[in-house]
Amino acid sequence: SDIPVVTIDGPSGVGKGTTASLLAQALDWHLLDSGALYRLLALSAMRAGVAPEEEARLETMAQSLAVRFEAGEGEQRVLLAGEDVSREIRTEDCGTMASRIAAVPGARRGLVKLQKDFRQAPGLVADGRDMGTTIFPDAPLKIFLTASPAERALRRHKQLKEKGIDANVGELEVAIAERDRRDAERSTSPLKPADDAVRIDTTELSINQVLDRVLSLVKERL
Ligand code: C5P
């Protein structure tokens, strides 16, 4: 496809989502939050009583996921068959189930076409774990963000606090390390940088500094 894509991959808590959303706004391009699709599939599976072991059912569910993203005030709204589930998919339960389902090859396969269909003119910013390696291997610009687990736990803690949720930083760090391990060790599309990805360590950087670096790469390459 001639339509440009910038992929932004990395583990959770590195600021992928925020960076991707600001970049899409700055370029006036489409946005794909692929993690939201795994969370939606997890929510649908939980509601239907489908377990991660039921691979064939998960694949069918993934292929017929009735999702719509709507630009809201600030954050985008996520609709599942017309129902606003923006908040529900952000819970820890849904995140944990999403990461288990994400290890099931059929579930990943079932979401491929839906993700590719987001590639529409004038361009797409796609964030996730395997955007540059599996879904858009021909993307002209691939970014891989990292940050130390301690820093990511602090960022997550701050986010939760803003939502009025009290959490323990040490426990968050353990949970983050656990999810990293599951994402890195699965056999289908493990979390790893594409060979041609530009790596940015964001531990010491603000969101605006990350965005500036990515924007200058976009100007250089596209
Ligand atoms: O990014 P987010 O935390 O919303 O993603 C939820 C889960 O979905 C992740 O923990 C990861 O296991 C999975 N995921 C994935 N591939 C993607 C995006 C998300 O495996 N492209």
Side-chain angles (χ1 to χ4, degrees), residues 34-35 38-39 99 102 108 128-131 179 183 186:
S34 61
Y38 286 91
R39 288 169 181 272
S99 108
R108 304 199 72 86
R129 306 292 190 290
D130 63 342
M131 298 297 99
R179 195 173 293 185
D183 283 346
R186 68 170 173 243

Side-chain angles (χ1 to χ4, degrees), residues 99 102-104 108 129 177-192:
S99 108
V104 181
R108 304 199 72 86
R129 306 292 190 290
E178 170 70 14
R179 195 173 293 185
D180 280 1
R181 197 184 51 71
R182 215 173 8 230
D183 283 346
E185 287 178 357
R186 68 170 173 243
S187 51
T188 318
S189 296
L191 174 66
K192 67 164 197 307

